[in-house]
């Protein structure tokens, strides 16, 4: 398979089957609208503001905090008897445990594992593992569910106080319902085998007076730094999860890649499927109809170059597949610097002074606030990327052309 993606495909078989990286700037004018986080009523197509470094310190516009109509308690939304649901297109390739988390915010991790382990949850009539992936159209039998008795909040130990201080240090946006963390590279979002410290575990120290713990709304890779959205209430968890499912959340990533991508701005559209290895798991480029394959779309734009050797690119994922940005950039021949899984250029030497760590930042997230208004949070470059930017003479305050990309 060629690493480069052709600009045009004169006879595409279908939109989902295209695999292209065509310029998006001209088409973006046809879908012009308020930019992410923009003021209502602003002129379509007007020049967006620059991504100034100081924006990392700036709070988002205050969300309107009117009280919503009395929502049903989460207990009322949980099934009291066996029910059968169908996996939707947006839930395709979602893990079983995360499927339950998304459908029923507030359900504990232990309860999810218990119903799956006992075989009370079935997919197309068969037992499954919590890590198994679902496919669109599958039938899921869900047993009666209930919330675990909440743990009461007590005095914090010295270790818990240090954890709370670490979370506060990471915080870049917060109100009564929502928390946005600047997750450092190397810290996992959720636990795995042999992992004792991760964001989900750290959030235990933030249980409220009713024993309710903040909930993860989405995830980013362990070695990726930047914006991580957390719901502090069940109400917020339900609304924010729905925003991700409906793709009304807008995310921007920054990365450093070798070479000069052509065209300078483009759209990457492929199918991705998980490939299990002896020691590792990666996402491979797949064909429509392949087992476990999911459609993935990413927009990219060159921001600035360092000679002809390295390019700072801005990335805007439309879908949210595992390792999507890393696999897509490797697919077009420009894998992300420091990526241990997908950097596939033989005999390529890292420029002196740059650290061999993943140069990928979840730069910005813009999403409707559960109570009105918009959450708009920006994360600064992590230390290893800031060092690279300084060495290469890249200006983090440059205008980010990814803002012109269509929303789809």
């Amino acid at each position: 398979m060629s690493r480069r993606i052709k600009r045009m495909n004169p006879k595409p078989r279908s939109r989902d089957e295209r695999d292209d990286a065509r310029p998006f700037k001209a088409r973006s004018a046809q879908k012009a609208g308020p930019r992410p986080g923009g003021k209502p009523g602003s002129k379509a197509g007007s020049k967006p503001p620059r991504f100034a470094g100081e924006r990392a310190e700036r709070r988002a516009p205050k969300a309107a905090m009117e009280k919503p109509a009395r929502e049903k308690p989460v207990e009322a939304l949980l099934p009291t008897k066996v029910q059968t649901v169908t996996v939707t297109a947006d839930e395709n390739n979602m893990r079983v445990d995360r499927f339950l988390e998304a459908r029923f915010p507030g359900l504990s991790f232990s309860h999810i594992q218990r119903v799956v382990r006992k075989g009370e949850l079935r997919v197309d009539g068969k037992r499954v593992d919590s890590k198994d992936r679902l496919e669109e159209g599958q039938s899921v039998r869900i047993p009666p569910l209930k919330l675990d008795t909440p743990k009461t909040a007590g005095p914090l130990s010295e270790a818990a106080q240090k954890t709370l201080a670490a979370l506060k240090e990471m915080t870049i946006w917060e109100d009564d319902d929502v928390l946005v963390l600047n997750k450092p590279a190397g810290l996992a979002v959720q636990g795995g085998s042999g992992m004792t410290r991760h964001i989900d575990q750290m959030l235990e120290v933030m249980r409220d007076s009713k024993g309710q713990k903040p909930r993860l709304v989405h995830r980013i890779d362990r070695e990726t730094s930047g914006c991580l959205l957390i719901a502090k209430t069940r109400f917020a968890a339900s609304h924010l999860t729905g925003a991700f499912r409906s793709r009304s959340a807008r995310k921007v990533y920054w990365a450093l890649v070798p070479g000069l991508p052509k065209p300078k701005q483009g759209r990457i559209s492929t199918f991705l499927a998980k490939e299990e290895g002896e020691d590792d798991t990666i996402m491979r480029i797949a064909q429509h109809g392949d087992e476990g394959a999911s459609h993935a779309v990413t927009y990219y734009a060159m921001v600035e170059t360092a000679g002809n050797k390295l390019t700072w690119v801005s990335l805007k994922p439309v879908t949210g597949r595992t390792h999507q940005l890393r696999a897509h950039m490797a697919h077009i021949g420009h894998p992300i610097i420091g990526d241990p899984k997908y950097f596939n250029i033989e005999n390529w030497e890292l420029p002196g002074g740059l650290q061999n760590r993943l140069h990928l930042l979840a730069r910005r997230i813009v999403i409707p606030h559960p109570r009105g208004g918009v959450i708009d949070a920006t994360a600064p470059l992590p230390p290893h990327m800031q060092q690279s930017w300084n060495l290469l003479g890249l200006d983090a305050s440059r205008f980010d052309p990814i803002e012109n990309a269509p929303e789809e």
Side-chain angles (χ1 to χ4, degrees):
M1 182 188 301
S2 172
R3 283 179 176 171
R4 299 271 181 188
I5 301 178
K6 295 181 180 179
R7 289 174 181 256
M8 297 181 64
N9 183 357
K11 294 182 179 180
R13 288 175 292 174
S14 72
R15 179 178 178 179
D16 284 355
E17 290 175 315
R18 286 182 302 200
D19 183 0
D20 58 0
R22 61 185 183 276
F24 59 69
K25 195 166 185 179
R27 295 186 301 119
S28 65
Q30 299 171 8
K31 295 186 178 182
R35 62 179 182 82
K39 294 181 180 179
S42 60
K43 287 186 179 181
S46 61
K47 186 175 180 179
R50 302 165 73 86
F51 258 137
E54 292 78 13
R55 291 188 63 180
E57 305 298 329
R58 180 179 64 80
R59 296 291 185 186
K62 290 185 178 180
M65 301 304 292
E66 296 87 356
K67 290 185 178 181
R70 185 180 296 273
E71 66 271 5
K72 293 183 179 180
V74 173
E75 293 88 342
L77 302 176
L78 297 177
T80 56
K81 59 182 180 181
V82 173
Q83 65 174 233
T84 301
V85 299
T86 302
V87 178
T88 66
D90 282 332
E91 292 166 334
N92 184 54
N93 202 39
M94 186 179 284
R95 280 174 39 159
V96 170
D97 53 358
R98 293 176 182 172
F99 170 83
L100 285 175
E101 286 178 1
R103 289 264 183 162
F104 307 106
L107 199 62
S108 73
F109 175 79
S110 60
H111 190 43
I112 291 173
Q113 298 299 314
R114 187 164 59 248
V115 299
V116 174
R117 185 176 63 251
K118 290 183 176 181
E120 296 174 2
L121 181 142
R122 302 275 178 137
V123 177
D124 289 343
K126 300 177 182 178
R127 294 176 70 113
V128 292
D129 186 84
S130 60
K131 295 182 180 179
D132 288 344
R133 302 275 174 171
L134 297 170
E135 296 180 9
E136 180 184 356
Q138 284 186 318
S139 178
V140 182
R141 175 193 183 273
I142 299 177
L145 301 172
K146 64 179 181 179
L147 296 176
D148 290 349
T149 303
K151 299 178 183 178
T152 56
L156 294 178
S157 65
E158 183 178 350
Q161 290 176 12
K162 289 182 179 179
T163 298
L164 183 61
L167 288 170
K168 294 300 181 184
E169 183 69 21
M170 296 179 207
T171 300
I172 53 178
W173 202 100
E174 184 176 16
D175 63 17
D176 291 340
D177 292 285
V178 181
L179 176 69
V180 183
L181 300 178
N182 176 24
K183 187 193 80 65
L187 179 60
V189 173
Q190 247 181 338
S193 58
M195 198 173 297
T196 57
R197 183 175 173 81
H198 50 85
I199 295 292
D200 195 35
Q201 172 258 331
M202 294 174 70
L203 292 173
E204 288 287 345
V205 303
M206 292 186 66
R207 287 188 180 273
D208 61 21
S209 59
K210 297 180 181 179
Q212 298 304 313
K213 167 190 162 186
R215 299 158 181 80
L216 299 171
V217 177
H218 70 126
R219 294 156 185 82
I220 55 179
D221 295 340
R222 180 176 182 176
E223 295 304 324
T224 303
S225 64
C227 295
L228 180 68
L229 191 66
I230 308 290
K232 295 172 67 176
T233 62
R234 290 174 181 163
F235 168 73
S238 177
H239 281 71
L240 294 174
T241 300
F244 274 96
R245 190 180 299 144
S246 65
R247 297 179 183 171
S248 53
R250 301 164 187 170
K251 296 175 286 183
V252 173
Y253 289 74
W254 283 2
L256 188 67
V257 302
L260 306 177
K262 294 181 181 179
K264 292 183 178 181
Q265 300 176 342
R267 176 182 186 270
I268 307 170
S269 173
T270 72
F271 284 85
L272 295 174
K274 181 183 287 188
E275 187 173 272
E276 302 281 357
E278 291 184 6
D279 303 317
D280 210 351
T281 300
I282 65 170
M283 300 300 289
R284 64 174 177 84
I285 302 300
Q287 300 297 320
H288 180 47
D290 286 357
E291 183 178 358
S294 298
H295 188 222
V297 176
T298 301
Y299 286 97
Y300 74 87
M302 290 174 56
V303 184
E304 194 174 3
T305 63
N308 293 322
K309 193 172 182 65
L310 296 166
T311 299
W312 160 19
V313 294
S314 187
L315 305 165
K316 186 177 184 181
V318 176
T319 53
R321 313 304 179 198
T322 302
H323 297 174
Q324 175 177 317
L325 303 180
R326 298 162 65 183
H328 269 173
M329 293 311 295
H331 175 58
I332 65 171
H334 301 279
I336 299 172
I337 297 295
D339 192 333
K341 288 178 179 282
Y342 297 93
F343 197 94
N344 51 10
I345 302 178
E346 294 183 5
N347 302 320
W348 193 87
E349 293 185 4
L350 188 71
L354 272 64
Q355 298 183 46
N356 191 23
R357 301 181 63 185
L358 183 66
H359 282 58
L360 180 62
L361 166 69
R363 171 65 174 174
R364 185 180 179 195
I365 187 164
V366 182
I367 189 170
H369 193 285
R371 300 185 190 275
V374 173
I375 300 163
D376 187 351
T378 303
L381 290 166
H384 71 282
M385 289 180 68
Q386 184 64 66
Q387 179 186 23
S388 299
W389 259 238
N390 292 342
L391 288 169
L392 298 171
L394 302 176
D395 180 7
S397 66
R398 285 181 64 93
F399 166 64
D400 190 343
I402 204 68
E403 294 217 14
N404 293 329
E407 296 300 331
E408 289 215 0

